[in-house]
């Protein structure tokens, strides 16, 4: 189904114990939630929204029409991706994603926050190119080095240990989109010899059944980015390409 | 003891089960953590730092010399105030501060995030006055109205119910400093008739034994703010005034 736009009909209320994610296919924050829902094997439905042209009913449903938003029991709405994933972890006990030890959990949450530096620099370099910082190269290099060292220190294939955990999932959407940097002239930022562990990790991740479920090929991310930069973000891209 | 500055000696390692907060007396983010430590009756010590002139050893101890930072077992360091308070809540089960229901907890955490709009507008109006937004008045009025309505809906003296909880404590440091707005010409933003419930709540809070422990009188907050605006933040203020 096409992502819903202005003028589209509001979907009927959810039934039973199902939950619904108001999402966008190309939004990395939406993907964070989808990854957690899939990893915890929670039943859910997705309503994709065209965020360049949001339906009117969305503003009634969700404060400020924010995407992503999760609809749960009694039509309650939750916003803010990191609060939503924490909610899912606490509400659904199966397949826990955070470390059990509160200290290790806190340290992983600090790393998730720290990854924002990489996210923001990537955003400036590939999307909001008018706002580039002189040192965005360094920000990305230093940011990724922290995670490279962390994987080496942990000595496990995933940040979560022998299988993926919350930290893996929270940084994944931007790692899936890393080739965006290459296309726009920043291939030197992703040197294989500098990030050996991270490159191995990326291979493990792309082969994981949970990650595969929402994985989009680099080509789509790049095409979307090009349409966005041209001022006409194409949210129907995946449908049109099939 | 005076807050520690450049050149000061590093305090000896913590012993036993104690934890240590590297803090600043006038920093509302540090106060958030102190309020939670006091509410949960956790044993801790405070090392106050002069953040305008930080000691060199702080940068070795804490990434980027960030304040507030919590030192826990094995000299591990945690940063980021909200991650720290969540850690304390999970590590120390006594006197729980979040609602038990994951949905209500998530909703309270969203409100804590939302309060940032008020915090940022207060900051622009009173401290970073070069960066004022045309609509900061509206931001504060709308922001506070959300909390006024919320208290009315809950029908309880505190956001946490019959006693204070995490949401109460996380917004408190800026409510304690509300008179800063009056001094700098924004008294119309704090009209008693508009925020009846919040004003009652503020009275309950100032009389609470936990809140009283770290409470500073408006006069100190205002004097500090004046020294800050004059480009010479006076972190020894409380000592000098005694």
């Amino acid at each position: 189904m096409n992502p819903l736009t202005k003028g589209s009909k509001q979907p009927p209320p959810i039934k039973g114990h199902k939950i619904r994610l108001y999402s966008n296919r190309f939004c990395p924050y939406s993907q964070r939630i989808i990854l957690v829902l899939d990893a915890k094997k929670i039943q859910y439905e997705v309503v994709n929204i065209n965020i360049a042209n949001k339906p009117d009913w969305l503003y009634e449903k969700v404060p400020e029409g924010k995407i992503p938003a999760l609809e749960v029991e009694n039509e309650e709405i939750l916003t803010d991706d990191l609060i939503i994933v924490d909610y899912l972890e606490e509400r659904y006990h199966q397949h826990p994603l955070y470390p059990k030890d509160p200290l290790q959990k806190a340290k992983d949450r600090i790393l998730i926050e720290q990854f924002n530096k990489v996210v923001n620099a990537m955003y400036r370099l590939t999307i909001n190119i008018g706002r580039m910082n002189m040192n965005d190269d360094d920000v990305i290099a230093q940011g990724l080095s922290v995670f490279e060292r962390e994987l080496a220190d942990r000595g496990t294939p995933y940040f979560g240990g022998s299988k993926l955990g919350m930290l893996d999932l929270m940084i994944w959407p931007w790692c899936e989109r890393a080739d965006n940097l290459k296309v726009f002239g920043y291939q030197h930022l992703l040197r294989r010899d500098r990030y050996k562990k991270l490159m191995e990790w990326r291979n493990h991740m792309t082969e994981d059944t949970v990650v595969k479920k929402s994985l989009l090929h680099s080509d789509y991310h790049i095409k979307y980015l090009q349409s966005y930069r041209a001022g006409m973000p194409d949210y129907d891209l995946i449908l049109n390409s099939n």
Side-chain angles (χ1 to χ4, degrees), chain A residues 41-240:
Chain A
K41 308 203 192 314
I42 297 166
Q43 273 219 314
Y44 68 100
E45 58 176 53
V46 169
V47 171
N48 277 310
I49 302 286
N50 182 324
I51 52 176
N53 190 19
K54 292 176 183 172
D56 292 328
W57 54 259
L58 189 70
Y59 295 89
E60 310 247 321
K61 190 87 201 160
V62 178
E64 300 169 59
K66 269 188 198 161
I67 296 295
L70 189 74
E71 184 170 355
V72 297
E73 62 236 60
N74 303 322
E75 300 190 53
E76 298 261 22
I77 292 284
L78 297 177
T79 53
D80 194 315
D81 56 303
L82 292 179
I83 293 176
I84 290 174
V85 300
D86 284 358
Y87 162 76
L88 292 171
E89 177 79 342
E90 288 172 19
R91 168 71 178 75
Y92 299 91
H93 296 134
Q94 73 267 27
H95 308 288
L97 295 171
Y98 273 124
K100 269 189 197 144
D101 172 32
L103 178 59
Q104 190 54 49
K105 177 178 171 182
K107 287 166 77 178
D108 280 9
R109 289 183 69 201
I110 291 170
L111 283 167
I112 293 168
E113 283 300 325
Q114 243 185 294
F115 192 73
N116 279 339
K117 289 185 190 171
V118 176
V119 169
N120 293 338
M122 264 184 81
Y123 182 79
R124 285 189 298 265
L125 290 174
T126 61
I127 297 183
N128 201 349
I129 44 176
R131 286 202 168 189
M132 268 174 67
N133 280 1
M134 285 300 285
N135 60 352
D136 274 336
D137 277 32
D138 293 342
V139 171
I140 289 185
Q142 280 167 22
L144 293 182
S145 298
V146 169
F147 286 82
E148 175 73 14
R149 267 201 312 276
E150 193 67 35
L151 264 184
D153 289 351
R154 295 188 185 201
T156 50
Y158 297 101
F159 291 97
S162 58
K163 50 185 188 175
L164 53 77
M166 193 63 91
L167 175 53
D168 297 276
L169 296 178
M170 291 305 101
I171 66 173
W172 176 250
W174 292 271
C175 300
E176 184 179 307
R177 289 158 178 76
D179 285 346
N180 286 354
L181 283 171
K182 291 193 192 165
V183 175
F184 295 106
Y186 302 100
Q187 52 274 32
H188 60 284
L189 293 176
L190 300 171
R191 278 171 45 193
R192 288 194 167 270
D193 55 333
R194 199 186 264 170
Y195 306 116
K196 266 189 166 164
K197 294 278 174 199
L198 272 178
M199 294 294 173
E200 282 169 27
W201 168 81
R202 202 182 166 199
N203 288 340
H204 293 310
M205 289 293 281
T206 50
E207 281 159 27
D208 188 281
T209 46
V210 165
V211 174
K212 268 184 182 165
K213 278 191 82 168
S214 59
L215 188 83
L216 287 180
H217 192 278
S218 293
D219 292 352
Y220 288 122
H221 287 303
I222 290 164
K223 269 189 199 164
Y224 164 70
L225 186 54
Q226 283 166 332
S227 75
Y228 187 96
R229 284 166 62 127
M232 294 162 69
D234 184 359
Y235 294 110
D236 301 334
L237 193 64
I238 305 164
L239 296 155
N240 295 345

